[in-house]
Amino acid sequence: MRLHLQVWRQDGPRDAGRMERIEATDISADMSFLEMLDKVNEDLIVEGREPIAFDHDCREGICGTCSMMIDGVAHGPESGTTTCQLHMRSFRDGDTIQIEPWRSRAFPVIRDLVVDRTAFERIIRAGGYVSVNTGNAQDANNLPIPKPDADAAMDAAACIGCGACVASCPNGSAMLFVAAKIGHLGHLPQGQPERYRRARAMVAQMDAEGFGACSNHYECEAVCPKEIPVSFIGRMNRDFMRAALCGEE
Ligand code: SF4
Ligand code: FES
């Protein structure tokens, strides 16, 4: 395949940035999207040009780093799929593909397609954990958890912190990400002691980082590669209201 790429190039956080046309040649339909970019970068290096900076790590849909807008859609055209798991068979020979970084005030661009997502880490640090007394290992299965709760916690825990929800929301809201983290811990007995304190602290940090509020566009759910449902946002709001209005700890 031969593809015409329109790629966002930005030399650094203070650079204005611009779209650049780059040809991708000898692309196999079996390549992943990131392998296509690897091939393009090898060709750019041979030509003496700067390779495209992009984030990646696991390439298995686990780490959440491979974040980019492809033809205006976070992670590209296949639903429930990260960029690293997207394959070039989803495109046709001769296609023009637009590739841009996440665009959100809370995710400033560092270079080309790489953005700074440390705001998510600061939200996790504010409350996305459980405190435990360490000691001898507990007997296995001595803390029974109802199957529906275990399933719901597991669904929420699938969030990989990629930020597609933020990048796709017209308000740059991080509520699906925060709700997934709060829902994951809040469905488990270990998450109960700090449940309401956690909701208050994580929501406060989310606001402090400059993320917007949810106004029910549901774009976050539509693009989430782990298909986290927006129902977790409702659950987070209930926890937050109880913490804020009733002083629940
Ligand atoms: S909720 Fe989905 S889109 Fe948002 S950070 Fe988690 S995995 Fe990514
Ligand atoms: S590189 Fe880890 S999820 Fe894509």
Side-chain angles (χ1 to χ4, degrees):
M1 297 163 79
R2 182 186 183 94
L3 300 154
H4 315 293
L5 307 183
Q6 293 282 354
V7 186
W8 183 256
R9 306 305 303 266
Q10 186 171 334
D11 294 339
R14 294 181 195 285
D15 182 39
R18 72 235 167 254
M19 294 301 276
E20 188 175 292
R21 186 183 166 105
I22 298 173
E23 296 299 308
T25 54
D26 296 329
I27 302 300
S28 159
D30 294 328
M31 285 179 175
S32 72
F33 200 84
L34 298 189
E35 286 169 341
M36 181 274 291
L37 289 179
D38 290 339
K39 167 74 171 59
V40 168
N41 276 348
E42 284 168 12
D43 293 345
L44 288 174
I45 291 166
V46 168
E47 291 169 20
R49 296 164 68 191
E50 274 294 315
I52 303 161
F54 64 94
D55 261 336
H56 60 100
D57 189 0
C58 71
R59 299 197 175 206
E60 293 181 342
I62 299 168
C63 72
T65 56
C66 59
S67 308
M68 58 190 80
M69 303 296 283
I70 301 168
D71 286 339
V73 180
H75 292 294
E78 304 294 337
S79 64
T81 306
T82 54
T83 300
C84 60
Q85 298 280 283
L86 176 67
H87 283 81
M88 297 313 294
R89 64 183 76 97
S90 299
F91 301 89
R92 282 179 305 199
D93 185 37
D95 273 358
T96 297
I97 306 175
Q98 294 223 5
I99 311 173
E100 296 174 81
W102 286 170
R103 297 201 186 277
S104 179
R105 188 175 56 169
F107 289 161
V109 175
I110 297 172
R111 188 180 180 87
D112 295 344
L113 307 176
V114 180
V115 301
D116 180 354
R117 282 173 295 175
T118 50
F120 269 11
E121 290 178 25
R122 288 188 290 273
I123 293 172
I124 293 293
R125 249 184 276 154
Y129 52 80
V130 293
S131 302
V132 293
N133 294 321
T134 57
N136 289 341
Q138 292 186 348
D139 288 343
N141 299 324
N142 72 347
L143 192 58
I145 299 171
K147 181 78 165 66
D149 287 345
D151 286 348
M154 198 64 192
D155 286 349
C159 168
I160 54 176
C162 64
C165 44
V166 174
S168 304
C169 175
N171 304 327
S173 171
M175 289 186 91
L176 192 63
F177 164 75
V178 179
K181 300 305 172 192
I182 288 175
H184 162 210
L185 299 174
H187 271 289
L188 297 173
Q190 296 92 329
Q192 299 312 307
E194 293 154 308
R195 177 171 172 176
Y196 299 103
R197 208 178 322 151
R198 173 182 307 116
R200 193 163 41 214
M202 292 182 78
V203 169
Q205 189 63 39
M206 175 181 77
D207 291 343
E209 297 290 348
F211 293 105
C214 174
S215 48
N216 297 319
H217 284 78
Y218 295 176
E219 278 297 310
C220 52
E221 182 182 275
V223 299
C224 175
K226 298 299 161 184
E227 301 178 323
I228 309 280
V230 291
S231 55
F232 280 108
I233 294 179
R235 191 180 184 287
M236 173 181 76
N237 286 339
R238 288 192 293 278
D239 276 8
F240 179 74
M241 292 297 273
R242 282 186 68 167
L245 299 179
C246 309
E248 296 262 18
E249 288 293 321

